[in-house]
Amino acid sequence: TAHHRPEHAYFVGQLLDRLREQGFTHFGVEALVDSSMVMERGFAILQDGFYLRDPIMANMINHAIALGFHVVSYDSGLENREQEQAKNLVDKTFKLKKDCKLVVLAGYAHIDEKAKPKRMAAFFHEMTGIDPLTIDQTRLMTGICEDMRVDNLEDVFLYPNKDSTIGTDLLVWNNLSLQNKPIGFKMSQIPVQTNIALPDSVSVTDSLITISVFNKVDYRKNINASPIHVTVLPLNSRHNIIKLYPGKYLLQYSDKNKELIYSKDLVIHD
């Protein structure tokens, strides 16, 4: 995955329900700093990792925990980072539970099984004897596949890797658009279109307003909870429609100096 491409995390988040149904038990996430804290808390906060400032990445982790995954952090800051990543994964999964089933969200070339010097996936294979199924979302993210013949290009397409010099099994062309997508991954529920724009009664002078949407239950437990959605609203716009699943939310509106100018609770009913 490319950590800066939220559609990559969104795609993985959509797969988590089916992966759990198929018996996967552990979810390794490179972007996490300390998964033990996240598991104990039950949700991500901003301090859990730089890339968790992206609400979609945080939503993906929160959904994994809600589904019963054991979320695992495994990154390393040591010089032999690739080998240490693999070792951390093994130590936190198969050494503790031999029959676990593991899915890993890794960044870029860490999953390349043939690269020189060796990458994390190759070390993992050596340590466990498991030949991982590696799926690359980054190789095609700036190009269009020549054999693409579809009418709807806003989708995800899977290709076998025909280039023997690249050490991944499958390539994904992720062409998802996140516009108008529901916030979060509660796919068993029906999302509700909701206007989160600043009320007319609130007077502000800034040209731009930042709107942060929080899961209210999580925010009450920890005010550093990662927002589930962040958007910037032009001052002259009084409409910002998003799709929220049923639940309790907190909306915060901030000015360009990150000063809170307005907040309100929001309940979306079934």
Side-chain angles (χ1 to χ4, degrees):
T1 187
H3 298 308
H4 69 288
R5 298 290 291 265
E7 65 269 25
H8 289 187
Y10 190 87
F11 173 55
V12 175
Q14 287 184 309
L15 297 177
L16 289 176
D17 288 77
R18 281 171 281 180
L19 289 168
R20 193 73 180 98
E21 290 171 1
Q22 292 174 16
F24 282 85
T25 57
H26 289 64
F27 184 31
V29 182
E30 181 186 317
L32 271 176
V33 174
D34 183 357
S35 56
S36 63
M37 297 295 292
V38 180
M39 290 298 299
E40 180 180 348
R41 192 187 310 116
F43 58 92
I45 63 174
L46 295 172
Q47 290 77 9
D48 285 327
F50 175 81
Y51 292 108
L52 270 70
R53 299 178 187 182
D54 172 11
I56 293 176
M57 180 74 77
N59 292 346
M60 177 196 68
I61 291 172
N62 293 347
H63 186 55
I65 295 173
L67 289 174
F69 277 97
H70 188 98
V71 177
V72 173
S73 56
Y74 68 90
D75 202 2
S76 171
L78 298 179
E79 185 176 351
N80 56 339
R81 183 185 180 195
E82 304 290 337
Q83 187 172 5
E84 284 298 309
Q85 282 189 340
K87 182 178 183 299
N88 290 338
L89 271 176
V90 175
D91 287 348
K92 293 183 178 183
T93 56
F94 294 102
K95 278 194 174 181
L96 300 177
K97 186 177 174 63
K98 291 183 179 180
D99 61 344
C100 76
K101 294 184 70 173
L102 172 67
V103 58
V104 178
L105 183 62
Y108 282 94
H110 293 299
I111 65 169
D112 193 323
E113 301 175 68
K114 296 181 180 179
K116 302 294 182 182
K118 282 189 290 190
R119 299 288 189 169
M120 178 270 291
F123 282 114
F124 178 85
H125 190 177
E126 288 182 356
M127 293 176 186
T128 63
I130 299 171
D131 183 7
L133 176 64
T134 49
I135 305 172
D136 186 358
Q137 293 193 84
T138 65
R139 188 75 56 176
L140 302 178
M141 68 181 179
T142 56
I144 298 177
C145 302
E146 293 181 358
D147 56 346
M148 184 71 67
R149 294 291 183 271
V150 294
D151 295 326
N152 177 20
L153 297 183
E154 186 189 322
D155 210 334
V156 175
F157 304 92
L158 189 64
Y159 294 87
N161 186 3
K162 299 177 182 178
D163 186 348
S164 61
T165 64
I166 302 171
T168 55
D169 298 309
L170 299 170
L171 301 177
V172 165
W173 183 38
N174 184 336
N175 199 39
L176 287 175
S177 169
L178 300 182
Q179 187 174 5
N180 298 321
K181 289 287 191 297
I183 307 303
F185 300 101
K186 299 178 182 178
M187 289 173 285
S188 62
Q189 297 179 300
I190 299 175
V192 177
Q193 292 200 60
T194 307
N195 185 11
I196 61 170
L198 194 66
D200 293 335
S201 58
V202 180
S203 176
V204 293
T205 57
D206 276 7
S207 57
L208 293 175
I209 301 298
T210 300
I211 307 174
S212 300
V213 182
F214 296 89
N215 178 307
K216 186 178 178 180
V217 175
D218 293 347
Y219 188 87
R220 279 185 168 179
K221 294 177 181 177
N222 191 315
I223 61 172
N224 292 312
S226 298
I228 66 168
H229 180 72
V230 177
T231 189
V232 176
L233 179 69
L235 179 60
N236 59 0
S237 174
R238 290 295 176 176
H239 291 278
N240 193 302
I241 305 297
I242 62 174
K243 295 179 181 179
L244 287 171
Y245 289 105
K248 296 180 180 180
Y249 301 95
L250 172 66
L251 276 58
Q252 293 186 344
Y253 303 77
S254 305
D255 62 18
K256 63 183 179 182
N257 297 315
K258 299 183 180 180
E259 295 291 333
L260 182 67
I261 58 175
Y262 181 73
S263 67
K264 69 175 182 179
D265 293 338
L266 176 66
V267 178
I268 304 296
H269 297 284
D270 292 316

